[in-house]
Amino acid sequence: MVSMVSGSAEPLSASGRSSEKLSLPSLQSKMKTDPEGYETELHLIRNQFYSALELFQQQAALNFSSISGVGADPTVAKDLSDRAMFLAHVTPFYPKQLAEFPSDLAAFLISSARTLPSGLRFHATQAVILLVNRKIIDIKDTLSLFMELQTLDDRNLRKLAFSHVVHSIRRMNKNHKNEAKNRSLQNILFGLLQQDDEAKAKRSLITLCELHRRKVWFDERTANAICMACFHSSSRIMIAVLSFLLDYEKIESDDEDSDDLSSEDEMTQNPHVVISKETVYKAHHKGTAASKKKKKAKLQRAIRSMKRQQRLSSESSNCSYYSPLYHLKDAQGFVEKLFSRLQTCNERFEVNAFPDVSNLEDFTLPAWQIQPSVAMILFSVKMMMLKVIARTVGLHRLILLNFYPFLQRYVQPHQKDITNLLAAAVQACHDMVPPDAVEPLFKQIVNQFVHDRSRPEAIAVGLNVIREICLRMPLLMTEDLLQDLVLYKKSHEKAVSAAARSLITLFREVCPSLLVKKDRGRPMDPKAKPKAYGEVNVLSNVPDIELLEQDDDIGGSEDDESGDEAVSISSDDGNEDNDDEESQYTANDGSEDEEGDENDSVDEYESDIDDANEDDSDDEDKGDTEELETEEDDYNEEVDGSSKAGDSAGDGGNEDQKTKASKRKLSDFEGQLIAADSSLRALKRLAEAKTSHASSDSVDGILSDEHFQRIKKLKAKKEAKTALAQQGFKIPSSDQLSFKRVDPSKLEAHVRLRLSKEERLALVKAGREDRGQYQARTAIKQKKTGGLSNRQKEHKKYMPLAAKKAKAQRSRQEKNKKKSRSGKQFRGKKAWK
C-alpha cells in the first residue's frame, strides 16, 4: 500500500495488465471511458481507501495528534483525501461496486468532522457535494451535515457548505417545485432555528433569509419562521432578524428616480399610459413659444404622475415584492408579543455591543450580514423593534392602542434619531385606528415641534409629520389648528414655508372647508369631506364597470343613429318633464338632412295618430267628446266667476274669452295626447334596444378577458384626462398608504443642516474638479498656442550687409552724442563746496 500512496507524483501500476504506469487523474479518465476494463483497478483503489480510513481512525483513537490537528502523519490524510475524491468521480460508472461508499463517507464526516484536519475535511466535503450533485445522495439526507459543517471554525468550509445548500435548493426548484421535498427540508431548517444553540440557529437563519431573498422559498411558512425568530432566546438572533426585515423594507425614491428614467424604459414598464393626440398636438404646435413650453411641462408632469401611479399599482399587485412581514399568519399576535418584549426589555440596546459579528463577514451576502457593525450601528435595537412594530401595524392595519402612548414619551425635538421615531409613528397610523387614540400623540407633536420659539428645522419636520398623519387620518385636524399652521407659509425659511404649503395642498383635496377662502384655490371637489371613522365604500359590482357601460352606450347610440331614423316630438304644452323625456330619446347625428329627417318623423308620427283615431270605436269617441264638453263647461264656469269678481266688462268680451279658452284647452289636450303617445312609443323602442343590446353583448352577465382589457384601457384614458385637468395631487387610497413606506429623510425636506468647515471645503472643492490650475488673465493672453508673432519673426530675420553697416554707424553716432553731452550736463551743487 505504501507504494500506492501518491496519486499524482508516483505512478500507479495496473496489476495483472501490462507494465503501463498510470496516475490517478489519467486512470480516472480511462475508467470513465471504459468502466468494465478497469474493475480490477477500482477494487484496488477501493481497498486502499478503506485501509487508509481504518488507519486514520486508529491514529485518532490512539490520540496521535499534534498542534495542527489529529493525525500527525500527513501522508495518511493526503492518501485518504485523494482516494475519496477519485471514488466520488467514478461512482456513477460503478453503482454496484461502490454502493456503500457514499453512506460510509457521509458517516465518516458526521462522526469526526470536528477532529479532522482542515485539508482532509475540505476534500471529503467536496466529495460529498459531488455525490449530491450526481444525485447519488439526496440533499435531504445531507442537509443536517452541511448545516453542522457551517458551525465549524473554518471559513472556506463554511462558504463551501453554505453555497452548496443554497444552490442545491435553487436547482431543485428551478423547473418545478416539489412541495413535499421542500417541506421536509424546511422542517429541518425550522428545527435548527428553534434550537437554543446559537451557532446552528444563526446558520439556519442565514440560509432561510438567503433563500427568501432569492425568492426560492417565498412562501408563508418561510416568512413566518423568519419573523418568529424575533422571539429567540439569543439577542443576536433577534437583532439579525430585525435587521433583515428592515433591510428588506428599504425605501425606493419614487420621485427622483422616476424622473431620470428614459422614455423607452418607462413605456416598457407601463404600457397603459394614454394621452390624447389633441393634447400632444397643442403642446407642440399651438400657441407661442412660452405657452408651448408650459404645455409641454404640464404634459410631462401628467405623464410622470400617471406612470408613478401605475408603477405603484403594479408593485402592489406583484406578490414577489412583499417582505416577510406581509405573509404573517397572526400579525396581531406577532405585534403584541414583540411590543411586550420591547416594554420588558432592560438590557443595553446599542448595536455596537453586538458580540462576535466577524464570522458573518465570510460570505457574499446582503449588507445586514456582511457589515452589521456599519449597517446597524446607526440605530439602537429598541428603535429597530419600534420600526418593525410600526411597519407591521401599518401594513396589516392593526389596532395596537398602547403603542401610541409609548411613542408619546419619546416625541421630543432633542431626542436622538427623532426622524426615525416620527416615521414609525406615521407608519403606525391608518384609518382603522380610532382618532381618540392618536390624538394625544398628534397634539404632542404639534406642541413640541410647531411653535414660535422652536427652531426652523423642528418646525419643518413637525409640519411634514402632521401632513403625513393627516393624509392617513384627516379627522385629527381641526379648523382652528389648521388655520394656525397655515400661517407658517409666510416664513422666510424655505423648509417651513414649503411644509406649510404642502399642508394647504393636502387639505384642498381632503377637506377644503377647513381652509380660509383665499387658501382654498380651485379644488376638484369643493364639498369634499373625509370619511367618518369606520365608514367603508362597499363595491356592489366590478370596479370601473361603469366605464365599459358608458362606452357601450356611446357605441350603441352611434349604431342606432346610422341604422334607424331619429324621433323628435315637440309638444306645445311647455311641460319640462316631457321635454326631458323627449330629449333622452332624440338622436342627434349632425347630418345635413337633419331637418328633413325630423319632419319625416313628425309626419310619420301624425299619420300613425290619425290611423289610430280612425280605428277607434264610436263609443270611445263619444266618451272623449263628453269629457271635452264637461271640461269646457267647467272652464266656462271658472271664466264666468273670474269675470264677475273682476271689473265689469261687456258681454261680447266674455263670449270672446270663452271661445278662446275653449280653443286653447282643446289644442292643449291634443298636444298632451300626442306627447303621451310619443313617450309610450319611445319607451317601447328604448326597451327593445336595451334588450337587444344586452342579449348581444353579455347575455349571462359574465365578463370575458376582452371586457377587462377594455376596462383597463378606458381607465387609463380617464386617468389621463384627470391628470391633465388636475392641478393638485391625487390622494392615495388606504391600501396604497399601508403598502407605502415612510422615508425619514423626506420628513427633513429642504432643511439645511449646519455644516462643519471640512464639509464646506469639500463642497467647494467638489465644484472645482473640472477646473485647471489658476492663472492670471495676462498670462493666459500671452500664452500662445500657435506660431511666433511678427515682432519675434523680425528679430530672427537676416539683415542685408548695407543695413548692418548703417545700423552700426547709427549706434556709433548715438554713443558719441551721449559722450559729448555728458561733460556739459549740470549735476547740481556739491555738498562739500
Side-chain angles (χ1 to χ4, degrees):
M1 186 193 72
V2 178
S3 62
M4 302 292 182
V5 167
S6 177
S8 60
E10 296 183 6
L12 178 67
S13 177
S15 61
R17 296 176 63 87
S18 62
S19 59
E20 181 183 6
K21 293 183 179 180
L22 299 174
S23 61
L24 283 179
S26 59
L27 181 61
Q28 174 183 323
S29 62
K30 287 183 177 296
M31 291 175 71
K32 288 180 179 179
T33 56
D34 187 13
E36 296 179 356
Y38 289 88
E39 290 185 359
T40 307
E41 287 78 0
L42 176 67
H43 288 295
L44 177 62
I45 297 175
R46 178 178 175 275
N47 294 331
Q48 290 176 1
F49 169 75
Y50 280 106
S51 61
L53 180 61
E54 185 179 357
L55 179 60
F56 185 84
Q57 290 177 349
Q58 289 177 1
Q59 289 180 353
L62 295 175
N63 200 13
F64 292 144
S65 62
S66 63
I67 299 175
S68 60
V70 178
D73 191 359
T75 58
V76 178
K78 190 174 188 312
D79 179 65
L80 185 60
S81 61
D82 291 340
R83 271 36 180 197
M85 288 298 298
F86 179 86
L87 293 176
H89 277 284
V90 299
T91 299
F93 301 95
Y94 300 97
K96 294 182 180 179
Q97 292 84 349
L98 299 176
E100 297 179 356
F101 168 73
S103 58
D104 294 340
L105 183 61
F108 170 66
L109 266 179
I110 293 173
S111 61
S112 57
R114 294 186 177 274
T115 58
L116 290 177
S118 60
L120 176 59
R121 185 169 51 202
F122 189 80
H123 285 92
T125 306
Q126 284 182 331
V128 176
I129 290 173
L130 185 60
L131 294 172
V132 173
N133 293 338
R134 299 285 178 85
K135 297 183 179 180
I136 299 172
I137 303 177
D138 193 3
I139 183 64
K140 179 182 176 181
D141 301 332
T142 58
L143 181 59
S144 58
L145 169 63
F146 286 109
M147 297 306 298
E148 181 72 25
L149 292 175
Q150 292 184 44
T151 60
L152 301 179
D153 191 11
D154 190 346
R155 178 174 180 176
N156 295 327
L157 184 65
R158 289 200 306 268
K159 187 174 181 180
L160 178 65
F162 174 77
S163 60
H164 166 68
V165 171
V166 174
H167 293 160
S168 297
I169 298 176
R170 284 185 65 190
R171 188 167 54 249
M172 183 181 67
N173 294 277
K174 187 175 183 180
N175 297 326
H176 66 279
K177 291 189 176 182
N178 189 352
E179 294 297 336
K181 197 170 183 179
N182 283 328
R183 189 174 292 272
S184 61
L185 296 177
Q186 287 174 355
N187 291 334
I188 295 174
L189 293 177
F190 294 167
L192 294 174
L193 184 59
Q194 295 173 0
Q195 290 183 5
D196 294 335
D197 189 358
E198 185 179 335
K200 292 182 180 180
K202 182 177 66 176
R203 302 316 306 178
S204 175
L205 174 65
I206 292 175
T207 305
L208 288 173
C209 292
E210 183 68 13
L211 291 172
H212 189 276
R213 190 179 65 86
R214 292 177 180 268
K215 297 179 177 60
V216 179
W217 284 352
F218 202 70
D219 53 351
E220 293 184 357
R221 296 185 75 241
T222 308
N224 280 272
I226 293 173
C227 293
M228 290 305 161
C230 293
F231 311 115
H232 198 273
S233 58
S234 174
S235 61
R236 299 199 297 176
I237 301 298
M238 179 191 68
I239 292 171
V241 176
L242 293 175
S243 58
F244 172 74
L245 295 176
L246 294 177
D247 182 78
Y248 208 99
E249 296 292 334
K250 277 185 178 178
I251 299 170
E252 298 177 358
S253 56
D254 296 329
D255 299 330
E256 291 81 9
D257 295 342
S258 62
D259 296 342
D260 298 336
L261 288 175
S262 62
S263 60
E264 296 179 358
D265 296 339
E266 289 179 340
M267 291 305 294
T268 54
Q269 293 175 2
N270 305 303
H272 297 289
V273 175
V274 179
I275 298 293
S276 64
K277 294 181 179 179
E278 182 182 1
T279 306
V280 178
Y281 181 79
K282 287 181 179 180
H284 290 84
H285 298 90
K286 289 291 184 73
T288 60
S291 63
K292 285 192 288 186
K293 185 177 180 181
K294 291 180 180 179
K295 290 175 185 177
K296 289 178 183 178
K298 184 178 180 181
L299 187 66
Q300 292 298 325
R301 286 196 302 269
I303 291 173
R304 282 199 299 269
S305 65
M306 290 161 52
K307 289 179 184 298
R308 190 178 302 117
Q309 293 295 332
Q310 291 176 4
R311 186 177 66 253
L312 290 175
S313 62
S314 64
E315 286 177 355
S316 62
S317 62
N318 187 10
C319 296
S320 63
Y321 182 77
Y322 295 143
S323 68
L325 293 175
Y326 185 83
H327 298 286
L328 282 171
K329 294 181 180 178
D330 186 11
Q332 185 72 33
F334 171 78
V335 167
E336 291 177 355
K337 192 173 180 181
L338 188 60
F339 183 59
S340 63
R341 182 166 185 174
L342 172 63
Q343 288 178 315
T344 58
C345 205
N346 296 322
E347 55 185 316
R348 181 178 174 84
F349 287 113
E350 292 300 324
V351 181
N352 52 10
F354 183 37
D356 193 19
V357 296
S358 59
N359 52 6
L360 286 178
E361 302 176 1
D362 301 337
F363 314 113
T364 55
L365 296 178
W368 68 276
Q369 300 171 19
I370 295 175
Q371 292 179 345
S373 60
V374 176
M376 302 190 317
I377 200 170
L378 301 177
F379 309 107
S380 64
V381 180
K382 203 171 221 181
M383 182 64 69
M384 293 165 67
M385 296 172 74
L386 278 173
K387 293 173 73 174
V388 170
I389 292 171
R391 181 72 183 117
T392 311
V393 169
L395 186 62
H396 293 273
R397 302 172 72 185
L398 306 175
I399 298 177
L400 191 65
L401 300 180
N402 295 333
F403 184 62
Y404 306 100
F406 182 81
L407 290 175
Q408 186 178 352
R409 294 184 295 176
Y410 301 100
V411 176
Q412 300 289 338
H414 56 79
Q415 180 70 33
K416 182 182 178 182
D417 294 335
I418 185 60
T419 53
N420 292 288
L421 185 66
L422 293 174
V426 172
Q427 192 75 66
C429 295
H430 53 86
D431 54 354
M432 297 300 292
V433 180
D436 297 338
V438 190
E439 188 175 2
L441 176 62
F442 184 75
K443 290 183 178 180
Q444 177 83 0
I445 295 172
V446 173
N447 296 332
Q448 292 293 332
F449 286 85
V450 187
H451 55 86
D452 295 336
R453 301 185 65 181
S454 181
R455 292 181 300 170
E457 296 85 358
I459 296 174
V461 171
L463 289 174
N464 288 326
V465 173
I466 292 169
R467 183 196 68 236
E468 292 294 331
I469 293 178
C470 291
L471 180 62
R472 291 158 174 80
M473 302 178 65
L475 295 175
L476 292 173
M477 183 60 69
T478 60
E479 185 176 0
D480 297 335
L481 178 60
L482 180 60
Q483 293 178 5
D484 291 341
L485 297 177
V486 161
L487 295 178
Y488 283 98
K489 68 180 181 180
K490 299 179 181 179
S491 175
H492 297 289
E493 294 289 337
K494 181 180 179 181
V496 178
S497 60
R501 292 181 187 277
S502 66
L503 193 62
I504 295 174
T505 307
L506 171 64
F507 277 92
R508 281 179 180 176
E509 302 294 332
V510 176
C511 187
S513 61
L514 294 180
L515 293 168
V516 185
K517 187 176 181 180
K518 64 179 181 179
D519 293 331
R520 293 176 188 174
R522 290 187 296 176
M524 296 295 292
D525 187 6
K527 297 181 180 179
K529 287 186 178 180
K531 295 180 181 179
Y533 175 67
E535 182 180 354
V536 179
N537 293 331
V538 180
L539 295 176
S540 59
N541 205 342
V542 178
D544 299 322
I545 189 68
E546 63 275 2
L547 299 176
L548 186 62
E549 293 175 354
Q550 293 174 4
D551 187 61
D552 291 340
D553 291 341
I554 294 172
S557 63
E558 291 177 356
D559 296 338
D560 293 340
E561 289 169 4
S562 61
D564 300 330
E565 291 181 353
V567 178
S568 175
I569 303 300
S570 60
S571 61
D572 296 331
D573 58 353
N575 191 358
E576 295 179 358
D577 295 334
N578 293 333
D579 292 338
D580 293 336
E581 291 176 357
E582 291 170 6
S583 63
Q584 291 177 1
Y585 310 128
T586 302
N588 298 324
D589 56 353
S591 62
E592 296 178 358
D593 299 329
E594 183 178 1
E595 295 178 359
D597 294 337
E598 290 177 355
N599 295 329
D600 294 339
S601 63
V602 172
D603 294 338
E604 292 176 1
Y605 184 73
E606 290 177 351
S607 64
D608 293 338
I609 294 175
D610 295 336
D611 296 336
N613 292 332
E614 290 176 359
D615 294 336
D616 290 336
S617 62
D618 297 333
D619 296 333
E620 292 177 353
D621 293 334
K622 292 179 181 179
D624 293 336
T625 53
E626 289 176 0
E627 290 177 359
L628 285 172
E629 290 175 358
T630 55
E631 288 180 0
E632 288 176 2
D633 295 336
D634 295 337
Y635 186 79
N636 292 332
E637 291 175 1
E638 292 176 1
V639 171
D640 293 336
S642 63
S643 63
K644 291 178 182 179
D647 297 331
S648 63
D651 296 333
N654 293 332
E655 291 176 0
D656 294 334
Q657 289 178 0
K658 290 180 181 180
T659 55
K660 289 180 181 180
S662 61
K663 290 179 181 180
R664 185 169 62 250
K665 187 66 178 178
L666 184 60
S667 62
D668 292 344
F669 184 72
E670 291 176 356
Q672 289 178 0
L673 285 175
I674 293 171
D677 193 38
S678 65
S679 62
L680 289 174
R681 287 171 180 252
L683 285 172
K684 289 179 180 179
R685 291 182 182 181
L686 180 64
E688 292 175 358
K690 288 289 184 182
T691 53
S692 63
H693 181 66
S695 62
S696 62
D697 191 12
S698 57
V699 179
D700 52 357
I702 298 175
L703 299 178
S704 62
D705 293 338
E706 290 78 8
H707 290 99
F708 285 105
Q709 292 294 332
R710 286 178 59 195
I711 290 173
K712 200 170 187 180
K713 291 180 181 179
L714 293 172
K715 185 179 179 182
K717 289 182 181 180
K718 183 180 178 181
E719 289 178 354
K721 291 180 181 179
T722 55
L724 289 172
Q726 194 173 15
Q727 296 180 356
F729 67 98
K730 185 178 179 181
I731 303 296
S733 63
S734 58
D735 295 333
Q736 293 175 347
L737 287 174
S738 63
F739 184 78
K740 183 181 178 181
R741 298 166 299 277
V742 180
D743 190 357
S745 62
K746 290 185 179 180
L747 299 178
E748 298 177 339
H750 306 291
V751 174
R752 296 184 60 184
L753 301 177
R754 185 172 297 178
L755 303 177
S756 62
K757 185 177 180 180
E758 291 78 10
E759 292 174 346
R760 291 198 301 271
L761 286 175
L763 289 175
V764 171
K765 291 180 180 179
R768 297 180 179 177
E769 293 177 352
D770 298 335
R771 298 183 188 177
Q773 190 176 2
Y774 174 76
Q775 289 181 345
R777 185 172 295 179
T778 55
I780 295 174
K781 286 184 177 181
Q782 291 176 359
K783 186 178 181 180
K784 297 286 291 181
T785 57
L788 300 175
S789 64
N790 293 334
R791 181 173 294 181
Q792 291 173 346
K793 290 178 181 178
E794 286 180 0
H795 283 291
K796 289 189 175 184
K797 276 186 178 180
Y798 289 101
M799 299 177 65
L801 184 61
K804 286 184 179 180
K805 289 182 179 180
K807 186 176 180 181
Q809 187 178 1
R810 282 196 304 272
S811 65
R812 282 197 302 270
Q813 289 176 359
E814 288 178 358
K815 287 180 182 179
N816 291 333
K817 287 181 181 180
K818 283 183 180 181
K819 193 174 181 180
S820 63
R821 287 196 302 266
S822 63
K824 299 178 181 180
Q825 188 175 4
F826 178 72
R827 295 182 179 273
K829 294 183 179 181
K830 305 291 183 181
W832 61 83
K833 194 173 181 178

